[in-house]
């Protein structure tokens, strides 16, 4: 049996076709509130069950509990607020109101039955969830754009498949669960990524695959910051490497439509819990997972998992070091398995690789497989990365 | 699992069928359940009162068992580290929405197991067809 969803049940509040049209009709004469990019990603993931047990944007009690105790008020572990901010120019609303949720272009993506309108201390939120109030942190920058008033309540989300990117790779949690069962997997490890695949990632994924039944490649395609490699380039890399280097029946690839919060350790736990909802029993946590700049310690995102009872997390973090090719070992290794000095290690920083690609220099095959390097080089020439 | 006493407040503490029904529901999910009828207190040779019942239930529940019982008054015992007491009016158990949200809260608190399936079996078939169409099951 697969690992149960977080909190026991998968939320299912996503509608399409005629049911979606009904929602649109119902909000026709209601107030419409505006979703920003992150909230639109969140709405989708609450609706499709990825954020189970959440059924809507958080009310004040859950928000306070999450920030202070890393738990929902009802008990389950939850490390980051999932909130809807009141926007300038939107109508005033109160608990009891039924409102539509639209994007900046005016397209309706769902509705909300408002239960709570509350004031938040955004500086405290930044400090407690991001661990910093430094304005150069992208998460703090985001909070600085908000009013400080949040609106909570249960949502319904609308799915429009035809407008989505990566249509063949959009699996909801219930779909990955059915897929895993169809393949006979009882355990699966999720790999979250916002990078193209280099040999180091491949090595870590394959180490993990040795101990579980299958691998869910789960590239994040929600809102990220400028400078990250665009999702379509990353997806092309993965499609390419899956052709020849992975056993087909042991890997599934699907996109993870979450927005990055760059909250480091707390986001690592958040990412793990969401993957549990997708049916994964294990989650790969690298060094500085979901980190940005120098805001978090190298191992913070791994150590935070020790603060929780493994049973209440319900997903096992697999903590990995950076991997490299060691010419003395004659293979891929990490500081955990290799006894040799750095001079034997082939390791390039992201910055260095980017510079090489722009200059038309192929990274060594021990670092990046040539098939992947050529995709990256083409993208670099076009100015995509 | 932390122990749980579900204390159903009834008018005269006499409707025992509702206890059994709730017990079966939790048992079917794989919970360890003990339904503690009012008669059990007498059968134990104790005085028939809510206090004796509460103490007996708390002792059972502290071993991680879900104990379901009823009483006209609120129980004399309190929630603690090993034991959680949840009280519900009998009439509320007949209201589907309140009943569901009461059980859902217990699930979220990790006090009773969740339903056994994550995807409804009918929907599972539909999803399999979709996965086939997307090429996920080609191999
Ligand atoms: Zn070595």
């Amino acid at each position: 049996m697969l690992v149960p969803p977080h909190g026991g049940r998968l939320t299912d509040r996503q509608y399409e076709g005629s049911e979606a049209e009904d929602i649109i009709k119902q909000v026709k004469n209601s107030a419409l509130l505006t979703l920003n990019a992150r909230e639109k990603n969140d709405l989708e993931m609450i609706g499709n069950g990825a954020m189970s047990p959440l059924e809507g944007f958080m009310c004040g009690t859950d928000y306070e509990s999450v920030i202070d105790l890393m738990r929902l008020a009802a008990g389950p572990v939850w490390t980051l607020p999932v909130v809807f901010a009141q926007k300038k120019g939107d109508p005033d609303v109160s608990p009891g109101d039924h409102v539509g949720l639209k994007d900046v272009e005016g397209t309706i993506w769902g509705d909300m039955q408002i239960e709570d309108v509350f004031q938040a201390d955004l500086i405290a939120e930044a400090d407690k969830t991001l661990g910093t109030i430094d304005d150069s942190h992208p998460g703090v920058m985001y909070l600085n754009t908000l009013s400080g008033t949040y609106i909570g309540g249960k949502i319904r989300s609308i799915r429009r498949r035809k407008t989505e990117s990566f249509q063949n790779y959009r699996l909801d949690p219930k779909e990955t669960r059915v897929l895993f069962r169809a393949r006979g997997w009882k355990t699966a490890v999720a790999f979250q990524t916002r990078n193209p695949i280099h040999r180091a990632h491949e090595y870590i994924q394959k180490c993990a695959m040795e101990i579980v039944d299958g691998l869910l490649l789960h590239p994040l395609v929600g809102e990220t910051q400028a400078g990250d490699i665009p999702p379509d380039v990353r997806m092309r890399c993965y499609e390419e490497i899956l052709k020849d280097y992975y056993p087909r029946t042991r890997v599934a690839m699907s996109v993870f439509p979450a927005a990055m919060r760059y909250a480091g350790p707390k986001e690592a736990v958040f990412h793990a819990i969401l993957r549990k909802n997708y049916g994964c029993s294990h989650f790969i946590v690298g060094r500085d997972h979901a980190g940005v700049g120098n805001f978090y310690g190298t191992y913070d995102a791994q150590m935070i998992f020790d603060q929780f009872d493994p049973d209440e997390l319900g997903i096992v973090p697999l903590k990995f070091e950076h991997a490299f090719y060691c010419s003395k070992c004659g293979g891929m290794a990490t500081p955990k398995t290799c006894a040799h000095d750095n001079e034997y290690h082939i390791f390039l920083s992201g910055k260095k690789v980017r510079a090489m690609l722009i200059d038309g220099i192929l990274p060594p095959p021990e670092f990046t497989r040539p098939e992947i390097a050529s995709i990256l080089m083409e993208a670099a020439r076009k100015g995509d990365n | 699992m932390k122990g749980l006493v579900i204390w159903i407040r009834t008018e005269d503490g006499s409707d025992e069928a509702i206890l059994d029904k709730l017990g079966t529901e939790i048992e079917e999910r794989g919970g360890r359940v003990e339904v503690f009828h009012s008669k059990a207190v007498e059968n134990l040779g104790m005085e028939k009162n809510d206090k004796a019942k509460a103490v007996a239930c708390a002792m059972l529940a502290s071993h991680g068992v879900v104990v379901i019982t009823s009483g006209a008054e609120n129980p004399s015992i309190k929630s603690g580290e090993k034991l959680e007491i949840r009280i519900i009016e009998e009439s509320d158990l007949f209201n589907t929405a309140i009943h569901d949200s009461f059980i859902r809260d217990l699930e979220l608190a990790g006090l009773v197991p969740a339903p056994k399936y994550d995807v409804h079996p009918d929907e599972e078939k539909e999803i399999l067809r979709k996965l086939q169409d997307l090429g996920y099951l080609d191999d």
Side-chain angles (χ1 to χ4, degrees):
Chain A
M1 211 174 84
L2 293 171
V3 53
H6 198 52
R9 295 189 208 181
L10 276 183
T11 304
D12 186 359
R13 305 183 73 83
Q14 174 175 265
Y15 300 85
E16 50 191 317
S18 61
E19 289 179 314
E21 278 159 30
D22 286 345
I23 295 176
I24 294 170
K25 269 183 217 150
Q26 287 163 22
V27 299
K28 213 171 167 192
N29 298 313
S30 312
L32 292 181
L33 304 183
T34 314
L35 296 151
N36 63 30
R38 177 191 290 190
E39 291 160 353
K40 188 163 172 272
N41 288 143
D42 289 349
L43 176 73
E44 176 180 353
M45 300 193 80
I46 298 168
N48 73 18
M51 291 204 187
S52 305
L54 299 192
E55 296 185 303
F57 289 105
M58 286 177 183
C59 295
T61 44
D62 272 332
Y63 172 81
E64 297 291 341
S65 173
V66 163
I67 285 181
D68 290 331
L69 308 168
M70 295 195 281
R71 282 173 193 285
L72 296 170
V77 173
W78 199 273
T79 50
L80 290 176
V82 176
V83 279
F84 182 87
Q86 190 176 55
K87 313 294 181 317
K88 248 188 221 139
D90 275 359
D92 279 335
V93 290
S94 328
D97 291 353
H98 175 235
V99 297
L101 301 174
K102 65 170 178 76
D103 62 17
V104 282
E105 278 99 40
T107 307
I108 292 168
W109 289 97
D111 68 352
M112 177 161 44
Q113 190 62 51
I114 298 178
E115 292 164 39
D116 197 11
V117 178
F118 60 100
Q119 282 302 314
D121 178 347
L122 296 179
I123 295 174
E125 178 182 333
D127 192 28
K128 289 175 183 173
T129 60
L130 305 170
T132 178
I133 54 166
D134 188 325
D135 288 338
S136 66
H137 185 290
V140 179
M141 268 188 247
Y142 170 80
L143 289 174
N144 284 342
T145 67
L146 305 182
S147 65
T149 303
Y150 287 134
I151 301 166
K154 290 197 173 99
I155 60 93
R156 291 185 294 175
S157 69
I158 290 174
R159 184 86 188 258
R160 292 185 179 89
R161 292 178 194 270
K162 285 185 185 139
T163 66
E164 291 169 349
S165 54
F166 313 112
Q167 286 176 27
N168 294 338
Y169 292 108
R170 290 254 168 197
L171 298 187
D172 291 343
K174 58 186 176 186
E175 292 163 341
T176 50
R177 285 174 172 270
V178 173
L179 174 62
F180 295 172
R181 271 197 284 277
R183 289 198 170 163
W185 299 357
K186 291 190 174 65
T187 55
V189 60
F191 185 80
Q192 130 97 28
T193 174
R194 48 187 166 116
N195 291 306
I197 179 160
H198 297 295
R199 292 288 303 272
H201 306 112
E202 180 184 339
Y203 172 74
I204 285 167
Q205 290 160 12
K206 288 181 173 175
C207 284
M209 286 169 77
E210 294 290 354
I211 60 162
V212 295
D213 298 332
L215 167 70
L216 175 66
L217 287 174
H218 222 195
L220 183 139
V221 298
E223 190 74 357
T224 59
Q225 65 178 5
D228 282 356
I229 306 254
D232 60 313
V233 177
R234 289 186 268 131
M235 289 297 282
R236 278 210 301 283
C237 293
Y238 271 103
E239 282 172 337
E240 186 60 38
I241 203 158
L242 286 177
K243 281 186 200 158
D244 278 329
Y245 295 101
Y246 288 72
R248 280 177 66 94
T249 57
R250 295 253 166 232
V251 185
M253 180 158 74
S254 171
V255 297
F256 181 57
M260 271 309 293
R261 288 157 154 85
Y262 303 96
K266 292 204 172 179
E267 192 162 12
V269 175
F270 179 75
H271 280 161
I273 287 172
L274 268 54
R275 268 40 178 258
K276 170 186 170 186
N277 285 330
Y278 282 90
C280 296
S281 54
H282 295 71
F283 180 63
I284 293 172
V285 187
R287 283 166 44 152
D288 200 23
H289 183 104
V292 61
N294 293 317
F295 285 102
Y296 307 106
T298 309
Y299 298 104
D300 287 359
Q302 299 183 341
M303 288 189 301
I304 189 174
F305 285 89
D306 302 336
Q307 294 183 36
F308 303 100
D309 178 340
D311 281 344
E312 59 178 2
L313 275 179
I315 181 163
V316 181
L318 297 179
K319 304 168 183 176
F320 279 93
E321 281 282 351
H322 277 333
F324 43 74
Y325 184 90
C326 171
S327 57
K328 216 147 188 210
C329 289
M332 297 299 296
T334 75
K336 275 182 171 171
T337 52
C338 164
H340 310 115
D341 291 337
N342 284 347
E343 59 186 291
Y344 299 104
H345 300 166
I346 299 175
F347 184 81
L348 304 171
S349 70
K351 210 172 153 189
K352 170 96 192 174
V353 178
R354 215 160 293 185
M356 288 173 79
L357 292 168
I358 289 169
D359 290 344
I361 305 166
L362 276 180
E366 295 88 350
F367 185 81
T368 307
R369 293 198 183 272
E371 297 93 327
I372 305 303
S374 66
I375 293 172
L376 293 175
M377 200 178 276
E378 193 196 318
R381 272 204 300 263
K382 283 194 203 149
D384 278 356
N385 65 358
Chain B
M1 217 171 234
K2 190 177 175 182
L4 168 69
V5 176
I6 299 176
W7 187 278
I8 301 170
R9 283 269 310 270
T10 58
E11 277 298 306
D12 56 1
S14 66
D15 187 357
E16 309 282 81
I18 186 108
L19 275 66
D20 291 329
K21 190 166 166 277
L22 188 60
T24 309
E25 183 181 342
I26 296 173
E27 205 160 25
E28 278 170 355
R29 298 168 170 216
R32 293 165 64 207
V33 182
E34 190 66 49
V35 177
F36 202 91
H37 291 161
S38 295
K39 240 192 151 26
V41 181
E42 286 174 68
N43 290 344
L44 284 168
M46 292 189 285
E47 206 180 315
K48 189 181 172 185
N49 68 24
D50 284 355
K51 195 173 179 191
K53 190 191 285 178
V55 171
C57 288
M59 285 168 76
L60 259 174
S62 64
H63 295 284
V65 179
V66 177
V67 182
I68 301 169
T69 194
S70 64
E73 304 287 328
N74 278 345
S76 53
I77 42 168
K78 292 217 157 53
S79 295
E81 206 175 295
K82 283 180 150 184
L83 179 70
E84 183 80 17
I85 319 275
R86 295 288 174 102
I87 302 165
I88 184 163
E89 297 294 329
E90 184 188 13
S91 55
D92 284 346
L93 282 175
F94 292 105
N95 176 321
T96 313
I98 300 178
H99 177 112
D100 284 352
S101 95
F102 177 73
I103 293 282
R104 184 72 186 120
D105 271 351
L106 298 179
E107 283 170 26
L108 289 175
L111 295 166
V112 305
K116 283 230 163 111
Y117 54 79
D118 49 13
V119 178
H120 193 279
D122 292 340
E123 205 183 355
E124 182 123 6
K125 282 183 209 146
E126 207 178 293
I127 291 173
L128 272 173
R129 274 196 297 274
K130 186 192 157 190
L131 291 170
Q132 240 140 16
D133 290 346
L134 287 174
Y136 273 100
L137 298 170
D138 284 351
D139 21 72

